[in-house]
Amino acid sequence: MQIIRATDYDHMSRMAANIISAQVIMKPDCVLGLATGSTPIGTYEQLIRWYEKGDLDFSRVRSINLDEYKGLSPENDQSYRYFMNEHLFRHINIKLENTNVPDGLEEDSEKACAAYNEIIRQSGGIDLQLLGLGHNGHIGFNEPSEEFIKETHCVDLAQSTIDANSRFFASMDLVPKQAYTMGIQTIMQAKKIVVVVSGKSKAEIVKAAFFGPCTPKVPASILQLHRDVVLVGDGEALSLVP
Ligand code: GLP
């Protein structure tokens, strides 16, 4: 694992965006695994700036997002499809038909997951996967569990995740309790993984995930077994890293 210590959030975002842009330049038809959450927003802003300058071309890039809330439509401003359109896709020249997010409106979980697994299979595999880190160690929406679940599945969100997400919804009843997420095996099969972490509140979980035992109770800890992981964090998030 490589660790990049950034001075602050902006620096972290530029470093992560540098790695992603190198991927796009080296392989213009690459498959990017993309993430939501507040942490990657600065990374996306930086990619947009470089696109606007003419330094990046996304016209042949395909993307596969990690997860989506079950029950939310793409028009719902809290859906991850909406997030991706707003924070990245509509600002760059990626073709919308080349972007993929699980279908939150598909009520049949088996069908939704099988369809997403097929999209992943047909893509030929993810070249670079961008990840954030949940406070309980989740990646995508792979919550702490007794086992690592391999492929796309429907998860019951942990209470701590529901609580963390509640700040974005008008009332607790509106916070989704389930989500579709890419599985751990799919994430681990990405050729390269970039994890972005920022802020003091992530320091404990960064230490547990990257320096503690490898266990499904801390899903991100499996990343220790991947051969090409870059952890990009600011000083606060990396403050407990040995
Ligand atoms: C959500 C997303 C994750 C993300 C996490 C952390 O649960 N499903 O992919 O990593 O939030 O979000 P933040 O970056 O806002 O801390």
Side-chain angles (χ1 to χ4, degrees), residues 12-13 15-20 23 31-45 47 64-67 83-84 88 126-133 139-140 182 187 190-197 223 230-232:
M12 176 208 77
S13 302
M15 297 305 271
N18 260 304
I19 301 169
I20 297 168
Q23 172 71 66
V31 178
L32 297 179
L34 297 177
T36 52
S38 50
T39 316
I41 290 177
T43 305
Y44 294 148
E45 285 172 355
L47 290 174
I64 302 184
N65 257 77
L66 283 166
D67 46 13
F83 176 103
M84 289 309 302
L88 184 64
I126 295 165
D127 290 296
L128 184 153
Q129 177 67 56
L130 177 65
L131 292 176
L133 180 65
I139 45 178
M182 194 185 270
I187 294 172
K191 293 194 189 99
K192 187 177 195 73
I193 298 180
V194 178
V195 190
V196 283
V197 287
L223 299 174
V230 188
L231 174 64
V232 190

Side-chain angles (χ1 to χ4, degrees), residues 35-40 66-67 69 80 131-135 138-141 143 157 161 165 167-168 196 198 201-202:
T36 52
S38 50
T39 316
L66 283 166
D67 46 13
Y69 290 115
Y80 286 167
L131 292 176
L133 180 65
H135 287 101
H138 72 223
I139 45 178
F141 267 136
E143 296 281 32
L157 299 176
T161 304
N165 291 338
R167 65 188 195 275
F168 301 116
V196 283
S198 170
S201 69
K202 294 283 168 76

Side-chain angles (χ1 to χ4, degrees), residues 62-80:
R62 288 165 293 154
S63 72
I64 302 184
N65 257 77
L66 283 166
D67 46 13
E68 179 59 285
Y69 290 115
K70 185 175 177 183
L72 295 197
S73 75
E75 292 77 34
N76 186 309
D77 63 4
Q78 293 308 323
S79 74
Y80 286 167

Side-chain angles (χ1 to χ4, degrees), residues 5-121:
R5 283 178 190 270
T7 46
D8 55 21
Y9 178 79
D10 282 346
H11 188 211
M12 176 208 77
S13 302
R14 288 200 307 278
M15 297 305 271
N18 260 304
I19 301 169
I20 297 168
S21 58
Q23 172 71 66
V24 173
I25 291 165
M26 300 294 283
K27 190 177 177 194
D29 61 347
C30 65
V31 178
L32 297 179
L34 297 177
T36 52
S38 50
T39 316
I41 290 177
T43 305
Y44 294 148
E45 285 172 355
Q46 186 61 62
L47 290 174
I48 293 165
R49 266 179 238 130
W50 284 328
Y51 164 73
E52 286 170 346
K53 274 178 74 183
D55 291 350
L56 283 176
D57 176 13
F58 292 89
S59 61
R60 291 166 64 204
V61 170
R62 288 165 293 154
S63 72
I64 302 184
N65 257 77
L66 283 166
D67 46 13
E68 179 59 285
Y69 290 115
K70 185 175 177 183
L72 295 197
S73 75
E75 292 77 34
N76 186 309
D77 63 4
Q78 293 308 323
S79 74
Y80 286 167
R81 163 51 81 180
Y82 189 94
F83 176 103
M84 289 309 302
N85 288 350
E86 287 307 302
H87 288 287
L88 184 64
F89 298 152
R90 73 182 181 85
H91 305 283
I92 59 175
N93 67 336
I94 196 165
K95 296 191 178 96
L96 263 195
E97 65 268 27
N98 287 344
T99 67
N100 298 281
V101 179
D103 180 1
L105 285 185
E106 176 54 70
E107 282 176 25
D108 181 338
S109 300
E110 253 178 58
K111 214 168 147 189
C113 296
Y116 211 57
N117 286 334
E118 186 54 21
I119 287 171
I120 295 164
R121 202 188 58 75

Side-chain angles (χ1 to χ4, degrees), residues 178-231:
Q178 289 189 309
Y180 294 129
T181 184
M182 194 185 270
I184 292 290
Q185 184 181 46
T186 307
I187 294 172
M188 287 295 282
Q189 283 172 343
K191 293 194 189 99
K192 187 177 195 73
I193 298 180
V194 178
V195 190
V196 283
V197 287
S198 170
K200 225 194 204 127
S201 69
K202 294 283 168 76
E204 283 289 349
I205 194 63
V206 167
K207 184 179 168 205
F210 293 96
F211 297 91
C214 182
T215 161
K217 297 199 164 88
V218 182
S221 65
I222 192 131
L223 299 174
Q224 293 178 47
L225 306 184
H226 193 279
R227 58 195 310 165
D228 191 358
V229 173
V230 188
L231 174 64

